[in-house]
Short mmCIF file of all heavy atoms in Angstrom, two decimals:
data_model
loop_
_atom_site.label_atom_id
_atom_site.label_comp_id
_atom_site.label_asym_id
_atom_site.label_seq_id
_atom_site.Cartn_x
_atom_site.Cartn_y
_atom_site.Cartn_z
N ASP A 36 10.48 14.41 99.15
CA ASP A 36 11.26 13.52 99.98
C ASP A 36 11.59 12.27 99.18
O ASP A 36 10.71 11.53 98.77
CB ASP A 36 10.45 13.15 101.23
CG ASP A 36 11.27 12.31 102.20
OD1 ASP A 36 12.45 12.07 101.94
OD2 ASP A 36 10.68 11.89 103.21
N VAL A 88 38.49 20.24 91.69
CA VAL A 88 38.88 18.84 91.48
C VAL A 88 40.36 18.67 91.80
O VAL A 88 41.20 19.45 91.35
CB VAL A 88 38.59 18.41 90.03
CG1 VAL A 88 39.14 17.01 89.76
CG2 VAL A 88 37.09 18.46 89.75
N HIS A 172 16.24 11.26 69.57
CA HIS A 172 14.79 11.19 69.73
C HIS A 172 14.16 12.57 69.84
O HIS A 172 13.04 12.79 69.37
CB HIS A 172 14.45 10.34 70.95
CG HIS A 172 14.67 8.88 70.75
ND1 HIS A 172 13.95 8.13 69.86
CD2 HIS A 172 15.58 8.03 71.31
CE1 HIS A 172 14.36 6.87 69.89
NE2 HIS A 172 15.35 6.78 70.76
N THR A 184 19.62 17.21 82.18
CA THR A 184 19.30 16.81 83.55
C THR A 184 20.56 16.31 84.24
O THR A 184 21.32 15.53 83.66
CB THR A 184 18.25 15.68 83.56
OG1 THR A 184 17.05 16.14 82.93
CG2 THR A 184 17.94 15.25 85.00
N PHE A 193 18.74 2.38 83.80
CA PHE A 193 19.34 3.57 83.24
C PHE A 193 18.47 4.80 83.53
O PHE A 193 17.24 4.75 83.41
CB PHE A 193 19.49 3.43 81.71
CG PHE A 193 20.67 2.61 81.29
CD1 PHE A 193 20.50 1.32 80.79
CD2 PHE A 193 21.97 3.11 81.39
CE1 PHE A 193 21.58 0.56 80.38
CE2 PHE A 193 23.05 2.35 80.99
CZ PHE A 193 22.86 1.08 80.49
N PHE A 268 24.22 37.80 108.30
CA PHE A 268 25.34 37.53 109.20
C PHE A 268 24.81 37.34 110.61
O PHE A 268 24.19 38.23 111.18
CB PHE A 268 26.37 38.66 109.17
CG PHE A 268 27.49 38.45 110.15
CD1 PHE A 268 28.38 37.39 109.99
CD2 PHE A 268 27.64 39.29 111.25
CE1 PHE A 268 29.41 37.18 110.90
CE2 PHE A 268 28.67 39.10 112.16
CZ PHE A 268 29.56 38.04 111.98
N ASN A 302 31.35 43.54 108.34
CA ASN A 302 31.75 44.88 108.76
C ASN A 302 32.24 45.73 107.59
O ASN A 302 32.04 46.96 107.58
CB ASN A 302 32.85 44.80 109.82
CG ASN A 302 32.35 44.20 111.13
OD1 ASN A 302 31.19 44.39 111.50
ND2 ASN A 302 33.21 43.47 111.81
N GLY A 303 32.87 45.09 106.61
CA GLY A 303 33.46 45.85 105.52
C GLY A 303 32.55 46.09 104.33
O GLY A 303 32.72 47.07 103.61
#
Side-chain angles (χ1 to χ4, degrees):
D36 185 3
V88 174
H172 287 294
T184 300
F193 281 107
F268 176 66
N302 293 327

